[in-house]
Amino acid sequence: MFRKIVLLTLLTAFSGSLFAASAEERAQTAIDTRQGLLKVVASYFGPIVGMARGQIPFDAAVVEKNAGKIAQLAPMLEDVFAKDTRESGLQSGAKDGIWEDMADFKGKAATTTERAIALANAASQGKGPTMKAFGALGASCKGCHESYREKDEG
Ligand code: ASC
């Protein structure tokens, strides 16, 4: 009897946490999740920026690995941006245009994936070709930010 009550209490609490999140909580979670994904992307991008600037030595293995990780992460962008948070009233840098033209957003993310794959493949060809491919990847990141990120408004 007592064990049943304990179990029921636990189940109620658990399902509460799963299903009873408010609309605002769900929107905030979506915002945190997509910002988190972009932070992970940036964590793989950063070391290659350092190499491009000559701040750290060129390392083809790191470029290949990090570009490969970005190629795995970029297809997740359309998933983590699937939830439309326009009506949530919560602050984020995401512009409404993302959900006004999701096909374009997905296309830009797909270009980023392709260019990350190209960068991973270029890494073994030396610093010159690698940095050219890296420039193309950076341009696709920047292009999407200019269209869809508030602080890149132009
Ligand atoms: C990053 C980051 C960006 C892009 C951009 C590429 O790591 O935070 O906004 O790369 O600099 O051009």
Side-chain angles (χ1 to χ4, degrees):
M1 180 62 185
F2 181 68
R3 284 175 70 173
K4 268 187 187 164
I5 291 170
V6 170
L7 196 66
L8 254 168
T9 309
L10 282 173
L11 275 172
T12 310
F14 183 62
S15 62
S17 68
L18 260 185
F19 304 114
S22 69
E24 184 173 314
E25 282 168 340
R26 289 195 303 275
Q28 188 60 60
T29 298
I31 291 167
D32 293 344
T33 302
R34 66 207 190 197
Q35 291 180 347
L37 176 61
L38 284 157
K39 277 183 188 158
V40 180
V41 171
S43 78
Y44 286 107
F45 196 84
I48 316 177
V49 175
M51 292 177 209
R53 292 179 181 161
Q55 291 162 341
I56 52 172
F58 177 68
D59 186 333
V62 171
V63 175
E64 187 177 345
K65 180 195 165 183
N66 288 19
K69 297 294 181 187
I70 294 168
Q72 290 177 316
L73 295 163
M76 298 177 199
L77 287 166
E78 66 177 62
D79 299 328
V80 299
F81 278 92
K83 184 173 170 59
D84 182 349
T85 54
R86 278 177 291 182
E87 302 296 316
S88 69
L90 296 170
Q91 276 304 312
S92 86
K95 285 193 183 176
D96 288 356
I98 295 169
W99 299 280
E100 287 161 0
D101 195 350
M102 185 47 86
D104 182 69
F105 182 84
K106 286 182 182 178
K108 284 180 162 60
T111 299
T112 295
T113 303
E114 285 163 20
R115 292 183 182 183
I117 292 167
L119 173 59
N121 291 334
S124 60
Q125 293 162 30
K127 189 170 178 180
T130 299
M131 289 308 155
K132 193 164 177 272
F134 180 57
L137 174 61
S140 81
C141 299
K142 197 166 181 276
C144 197
H145 293 161
E146 279 170 357
S147 299
Y148 297 120
R149 186 168 75 174
E150 211 68 70
K151 60 182 164 183
D152 285 65
E153 206 160 12

PDB file of all heavy atoms in Angstrom, residues 38-39 41-46 49 53 134-135 137-143 145 149 151-152, ligand 1:
ATOM      1  N   LEU A  38      24.128  26.266 -31.510  1.00  0.00           N
ATOM      2  CA  LEU A  38      25.014  27.206 -32.209  1.00  0.00           C
ATOM      3  C   LEU A  38      26.309  27.447 -31.425  1.00  0.00           C
ATOM      4  O   LEU A  38      27.367  27.666 -32.027  1.00  0.00           O
ATOM      5  CB  LEU A  38      24.266  28.508 -32.515  1.00  0.00           C
ATOM      6  CG  LEU A  38      23.294  28.310 -33.696  1.00  0.00           C
ATOM      7  CD1 LEU A  38      22.172  29.322 -33.699  1.00  0.00           C
ATOM      8  CD2 LEU A  38      24.044  28.347 -35.027  1.00  0.00           C
ATOM      9  N   LYS A  39      26.235  27.353 -30.089  1.00  0.00           N
ATOM     10  CA  LYS A  39      27.457  27.463 -29.291  1.00  0.00           C
ATOM     11  C   LYS A  39      28.364  26.258 -29.542  1.00  0.00           C
ATOM     12  O   LYS A  39      29.594  26.398 -29.585  1.00  0.00           O
ATOM     13  CB  LYS A  39      27.126  27.562 -27.794  1.00  0.00           C
ATOM     14  CG  LYS A  39      26.787  28.970 -27.373  1.00  0.00           C
ATOM     15  CD  LYS A  39      26.522  29.062 -25.877  1.00  0.00           C
ATOM     16  CE  LYS A  39      26.007  30.444 -25.529  1.00  0.00           C
ATOM     17  NZ  LYS A  39      25.274  30.458 -24.267  1.00  0.00           N
ATOM     18  N   VAL A  41      28.460  24.498 -32.323  1.00  0.00           N
ATOM     19  CA  VAL A  41      29.026  24.740 -33.660  1.00  0.00           C
ATOM     20  C   VAL A  41      30.214  25.706 -33.540  1.00  0.00           C
ATOM     21  O   VAL A  41      31.304  25.441 -34.068  1.00  0.00           O
ATOM     22  CB  VAL A  41      27.962  25.312 -34.632  1.00  0.00           C
ATOM     23  CG1 VAL A  41      28.611  25.758 -35.941  1.00  0.00           C
ATOM     24  CG2 VAL A  41      26.867  24.269 -34.905  1.00  0.00           C
ATOM     25  N   ALA A  42      30.020  26.812 -32.801  1.00  0.00           N
ATOM     26  CA  ALA A  42      31.080  27.821 -32.658  1.00  0.00           C
ATOM     27  C   ALA A  42      32.315  27.235 -31.967  1.00  0.00           C
ATOM     28  O   ALA A  42      33.447  27.622 -32.271  1.00  0.00           O
ATOM     29  CB  ALA A  42      30.554  29.026 -31.887  1.00  0.00           C
ATOM     30  N   SER A  43      32.103  26.277 -31.054  1.00  0.00           N
ATOM     31  CA  SER A  43      33.246  25.682 -30.339  1.00  0.00           C
ATOM     32  C   SER A  43      34.131  24.868 -31.283  1.00  0.00           C
ATOM     33  O   SER A  43      35.327  24.743 -31.066  1.00  0.00           O
ATOM     34  CB  SER A  43      32.769  24.826 -29.161  1.00  0.00           C
ATOM     35  OG  SER A  43      32.291  23.570 -29.602  1.00  0.00           O
ATOM     36  N   TYR A  44      33.532  24.316 -32.352  1.00  0.00           N
ATOM     37  CA  TYR A  44      34.333  23.596 -33.355  1.00  0.00           C
ATOM     38  C   TYR A  44      34.913  24.555 -34.391  1.00  0.00           C
ATOM     39  O   TYR A  44      35.956  24.285 -34.991  1.00  0.00           O
ATOM     40  CB  TYR A  44      33.477  22.516 -34.042  1.00  0.00           C
ATOM     41  CG  TYR A  44      33.214  21.329 -33.157  1.00  0.00           C
ATOM     42  CD1 TYR A  44      31.959  21.113 -32.591  1.00  0.00           C
ATOM     43  CD2 TYR A  44      34.229  20.416 -32.866  1.00  0.00           C
ATOM     44  CE1 TYR A  44      31.723  20.024 -31.760  1.00  0.00           C
ATOM     45  CE2 TYR A  44      34.003  19.329 -32.036  1.00  0.00           C
ATOM     46  CZ  TYR A  44      32.742  19.138 -31.489  1.00  0.00           C
ATOM     47  OH  TYR A  44      32.515  18.070 -30.661  1.00  0.00           O
ATOM     48  N   PHE A  45      34.218  25.652 -34.619  1.00  0.00           N
ATOM     49  CA  PHE A  45      34.634  26.642 -35.612  1.00  0.00           C
ATOM     50  C   PHE A  45      35.835  27.455 -35.091  1.00  0.00           C
ATOM     51  O   PHE A  45      36.781  27.741 -35.851  1.00  0.00           O
ATOM     52  CB  PHE A  45      33.432  27.558 -35.875  1.00  0.00           C
ATOM     53  CG  PHE A  45      33.499  28.404 -37.108  1.00  0.00           C
ATOM     54  CD1 PHE A  45      33.123  27.895 -38.341  1.00  0.00           C
ATOM     55  CD2 PHE A  45      33.898  29.733 -37.031  1.00  0.00           C
ATOM     56  CE1 PHE A  45      33.155  28.686 -39.486  1.00  0.00           C
ATOM     57  CE2 PHE A  45      33.938  30.532 -38.169  1.00  0.00           C
ATOM     58  CZ  PHE A  45      33.563  29.999 -39.397  1.00  0.00           C
ATOM     59  N   GLY A  46      35.802  27.778 -33.794  1.00  0.00           N
ATOM     60  CA  GLY A  46      36.778  28.672 -33.179  1.00  0.00           C
ATOM     61  C   GLY A  46      38.246  28.322 -33.436  1.00  0.00           C
ATOM     62  O   GLY A  46      39.025  29.194 -33.855  1.00  0.00           O
ATOM     63  N   VAL A  49      39.325  29.323 -36.809  1.00  0.00           N
ATOM     64  CA  VAL A  49      39.509  30.783 -36.880  1.00  0.00           C
ATOM     65  C   VAL A  49      40.911  31.128 -36.376  1.00  0.00           C
ATOM     66  O   VAL A  49      41.642  31.916 -36.999  1.00  0.00           O
ATOM     67  CB  VAL A  49      38.445  31.541 -36.038  1.00  0.00           C
ATOM     68  CG1 VAL A  49      38.718  33.041 -36.022  1.00  0.00           C
ATOM     69  CG2 VAL A  49      37.036  31.265 -36.566  1.00  0.00           C
ATOM     70  N   ARG A  53      43.941  32.990 -38.494  1.00  0.00           N
ATOM     71  CA  ARG A  53      44.572  34.239 -38.040  1.00  0.00           C
ATOM     72  C   ARG A  53      46.032  34.046 -37.668  1.00  0.00           C
ATOM     73  O   ARG A  53      46.702  34.990 -37.239  1.00  0.00           O
ATOM     74  CB  ARG A  53      43.814  34.791 -36.821  1.00  0.00           C
ATOM     75  CG  ARG A  53      42.427  35.275 -37.162  1.00  0.00           C
ATOM     76  CD  ARG A  53      41.723  35.794 -35.905  1.00  0.00           C
ATOM     77  NE  ARG A  53      40.361  36.246 -36.206  1.00  0.00           N
ATOM     78  CZ  ARG A  53      39.410  36.395 -35.307  1.00  0.00           C
ATOM     79  NH1 ARG A  53      39.664  36.109 -34.033  1.00  0.00           N
ATOM     80  NH2 ARG A  53      38.208  36.798 -35.655  1.00  0.00           N
ATOM     81  N   PHE A 134      37.450  27.088 -45.875  1.00  0.00           N
ATOM     82  CA  PHE A 134      36.998  27.651 -44.595  1.00  0.00           C
ATOM     83  C   PHE A 134      36.298  28.999 -44.814  1.00  0.00           C
ATOM     84  O   PHE A 134      35.276  29.282 -44.189  1.00  0.00           O
ATOM     85  CB  PHE A 134      38.198  27.825 -43.663  1.00  0.00           C
ATOM     86  CG  PHE A 134      37.842  28.402 -42.321  1.00  0.00           C
ATOM     87  CD1 PHE A 134      36.908  27.768 -41.511  1.00  0.00           C
ATOM     88  CD2 PHE A 134      38.442  29.563 -41.864  1.00  0.00           C
ATOM     89  CE1 PHE A 134      36.573  28.300 -40.266  1.00  0.00           C
ATOM     90  CE2 PHE A 134      38.111  30.101 -40.631  1.00  0.00           C
ATOM     91  CZ  PHE A 134      37.185  29.468 -39.832  1.00  0.00           C
ATOM     92  N   GLY A 135      36.848  29.794 -45.734  1.00  0.00           N
ATOM     93  CA  GLY A 135      36.222  31.071 -46.070  1.00  0.00           C
ATOM     94  C   GLY A 135      34.806  30.877 -46.592  1.00  0.00           C
ATOM     95  O   GLY A 135      33.885  31.618 -46.236  1.00  0.00           O
ATOM     96  N   LEU A 137      32.822  28.345 -45.936  1.00  0.00           N
ATOM     97  CA  LEU A 137      31.955  27.932 -44.818  1.00  0.00           C
ATOM     98  C   LEU A 137      31.570  29.150 -43.972  1.00  0.00           C
ATOM     99  O   LEU A 137      30.385  29.333 -43.657  1.00  0.00           O
ATOM    100  CB  LEU A 137      32.671  26.887 -43.951  1.00  0.00           C
ATOM    101  CG  LEU A 137      31.932  26.483 -42.670  1.00  0.00           C
ATOM    102  CD1 LEU A 137      30.568  25.868 -42.986  1.00  0.00           C
ATOM    103  CD2 LEU A 137      32.776  25.518 -41.836  1.00  0.00           C
ATOM    104  N   GLY A 138      32.559  29.969 -43.639  1.00  0.00           N
ATOM    105  CA  GLY A 138      32.288  31.175 -42.837  1.00  0.00           C
ATOM    106  C   GLY A 138      31.283  32.086 -43.518  1.00  0.00           C
ATOM    107  O   GLY A 138      30.409  32.662 -42.869  1.00  0.00           O
ATOM    108  N   ALA A 139      31.390  32.195 -44.853  1.00  0.00           N
ATOM    109  CA  ALA A 139      30.454  33.048 -45.600  1.00  0.00           C
ATOM    110  C   ALA A 139      29.025  32.520 -45.494  1.00  0.00           C
ATOM    111  O   ALA A 139      28.067  33.305 -45.431  1.00  0.00           O
ATOM    112  CB  ALA A 139      30.887  33.136 -47.058  1.00  0.00           C
ATOM    113  N   SER A 140      28.877  31.197 -45.470  1.00  0.00           N
ATOM    114  CA  SER A 140      27.511  30.654 -45.356  1.00  0.00           C
ATOM    115  C   SER A 140      26.960  30.866 -43.953  1.00  0.00           C
ATOM    116  O   SER A 140      25.767  31.134 -43.780  1.00  0.00           O
ATOM    117  CB  SER A 140      27.452  29.182 -45.785  1.00  0.00           C
ATOM    118  OG  SER A 140      27.880  28.336 -44.763  1.00  0.00           O
ATOM    119  N   CYS A 141      27.828  30.796 -42.934  1.00  0.00           N
ATOM    120  CA  CYS A 141      27.378  31.116 -41.563  1.00  0.00           C
ATOM    121  C   CYS A 141      26.906  32.575 -41.519  1.00  0.00           C
ATOM    122  O   CYS A 141      25.818  32.881 -41.022  1.00  0.00           O
ATOM    123  CB  CYS A 141      28.515  30.949 -40.551  1.00  0.00           C
ATOM    124  SG  CYS A 141      29.199  29.292 -40.438  1.00  0.00           S
ATOM    125  N   LYS A 142      27.767  33.439 -42.076  1.00  0.00           N
ATOM    126  CA  LYS A 142      27.507  34.872 -42.035  1.00  0.00           C
ATOM    127  C   LYS A 142      26.236  35.237 -42.814  1.00  0.00           C
ATOM    128  O   LYS A 142      25.425  36.049 -42.369  1.00  0.00           O
ATOM    129  CB  LYS A 142      28.719  35.598 -42.647  1.00  0.00           C
ATOM    130  CG  LYS A 142      28.822  37.063 -42.332  1.00  0.00           C
ATOM    131  CD  LYS A 142      30.238  37.562 -42.714  1.00  0.00           C
ATOM    132  CE  LYS A 142      30.417  39.021 -42.409  1.00  0.00           C
ATOM    133  NZ  LYS A 142      29.914  39.899 -43.489  1.00  0.00           N
ATOM    134  N   GLY A 143      26.070  34.597 -43.974  1.00  0.00           N
ATOM    135  CA  GLY A 143      24.894  34.881 -44.801  1.00  0.00           C
ATOM    136  C   GLY A 143      23.600  34.591 -44.052  1.00  0.00           C
ATOM    137  O   GLY A 143      22.642  35.377 -44.110  1.00  0.00           O
ATOM    138  N   HIS A 145      23.269  34.455 -40.766  1.00  0.00           N
ATOM    139  CA  HIS A 145      23.140  35.406 -39.654  1.00  0.00           C
ATOM    140  C   HIS A 145      22.601  36.749 -40.142  1.00  0.00           C
ATOM    141  O   HIS A 145      21.777  37.359 -39.474  1.00  0.00           O
ATOM    142  CB  HIS A 145      24.488  35.585 -38.955  1.00  0.00           C
ATOM    143  CG  HIS A 145      24.950  34.353 -38.236  1.00  0.00           C
ATOM    144  ND1 HIS A 145      26.254  34.124 -37.868  1.00  0.00           N
ATOM    145  CD2 HIS A 145      24.261  33.269 -37.812  1.00  0.00           C
ATOM    146  CE1 HIS A 145      26.346  32.954 -37.258  1.00  0.00           C
ATOM    147  NE2 HIS A 145      25.150  32.405 -37.207  1.00  0.00           N
ATOM    148  N   ARG A 149      19.542  36.642 -38.018  1.00  0.00           N
ATOM    149  CA  ARG A 149      19.938  36.945 -36.642  1.00  0.00           C
ATOM    150  C   ARG A 149      19.874  38.443 -36.409  1.00  0.00           C
ATOM    151  O   ARG A 149      20.396  39.225 -37.184  1.00  0.00           O
ATOM    152  CB  ARG A 149      21.352  36.421 -36.352  1.00  0.00           C
ATOM    153  CG  ARG A 149      21.757  36.587 -34.875  1.00  0.00           C
ATOM    154  CD  ARG A 149      23.015  35.817 -34.529  1.00  0.00           C
ATOM    155  NE  ARG A 149      24.208  36.460 -35.057  1.00  0.00           N
ATOM    156  CZ  ARG A 149      25.456  36.044 -34.786  1.00  0.00           C
ATOM    157  NH1 ARG A 149      25.641  34.981 -34.019  1.00  0.00           N
ATOM    158  NH2 ARG A 149      26.488  36.672 -35.301  1.00  0.00           N
ATOM    159  N   LYS A 151      21.201  40.710 -34.382  1.00  0.00           N
ATOM    160  CA  LYS A 151      22.352  41.622 -34.275  1.00  0.00           C
ATOM    161  C   LYS A 151      23.131  41.728 -35.580  1.00  0.00           C
ATOM    162  O   LYS A 151      24.008  42.569 -35.696  1.00  0.00           O
ATOM    163  CB  LYS A 151      23.266  41.232 -33.109  1.00  0.00           C
ATOM    164  CG  LYS A 151      23.863  39.857 -33.182  1.00  0.00           C
ATOM    165  CD  LYS A 151      24.710  39.579 -31.924  1.00  0.00           C
ATOM    166  CE  LYS A 151      24.981  38.108 -31.786  1.00  0.00           C
ATOM    167  NZ  LYS A 151      25.726  37.761 -30.591  1.00  0.00           N
ATOM    168  N   ASP A 152      22.790  40.887 -36.570  1.00  0.00           N
ATOM    169  CA  ASP A 152      23.448  40.969 -37.880  1.00  0.00           C
ATOM    170  C   ASP A 152      22.598  41.743 -38.886  1.00  0.00           C
ATOM    171  O   ASP A 152      22.905  41.760 -40.067  1.00  0.00           O
ATOM    172  CB  ASP A 152      23.721  39.574 -38.439  1.00  0.00           C
ATOM    173  CG  ASP A 152      24.880  38.936 -37.721  1.00  0.00           C
ATOM    174  OD1 ASP A 152      24.731  38.692 -36.511  1.00  0.00           O
ATOM    175  OD2 ASP A 152      25.922  38.709 -38.340  1.00  0.00           O
TER     176      ASP A 152
HETATM  177  C1  ASC B   1      31.282  31.578 -35.433  1.00  0.00           C
HETATM  178  C2  ASC B   1      30.354  32.472 -34.921  1.00  0.00           C
HETATM  179  C3  ASC B   1      29.805  33.136 -35.959  1.00  0.00           C
HETATM  180  C4  ASC B   1      30.334  32.631 -37.225  1.00  0.00           C
HETATM  181  C5  ASC B   1      30.811  33.685 -38.160  1.00  0.00           C
HETATM  182  C6  ASC B   1      31.260  33.119 -39.479  1.00  0.00           C
HETATM  183  O1  ASC B   1      31.947  30.786 -34.788  1.00  0.00           O
HETATM  184  O2  ASC B   1      30.060  32.664 -33.652  1.00  0.00           O
HETATM  185  O3  ASC B   1      28.887  34.059 -35.885  1.00  0.00           O
HETATM  186  O4  ASC B   1      31.335  31.699 -36.814  1.00  0.00           O
HETATM  187  O5  ASC B   1      31.854  34.390 -37.581  1.00  0.00           O
HETATM  188  O6  ASC B   1      31.500  34.131 -40.383  1.00  0.00           O
END
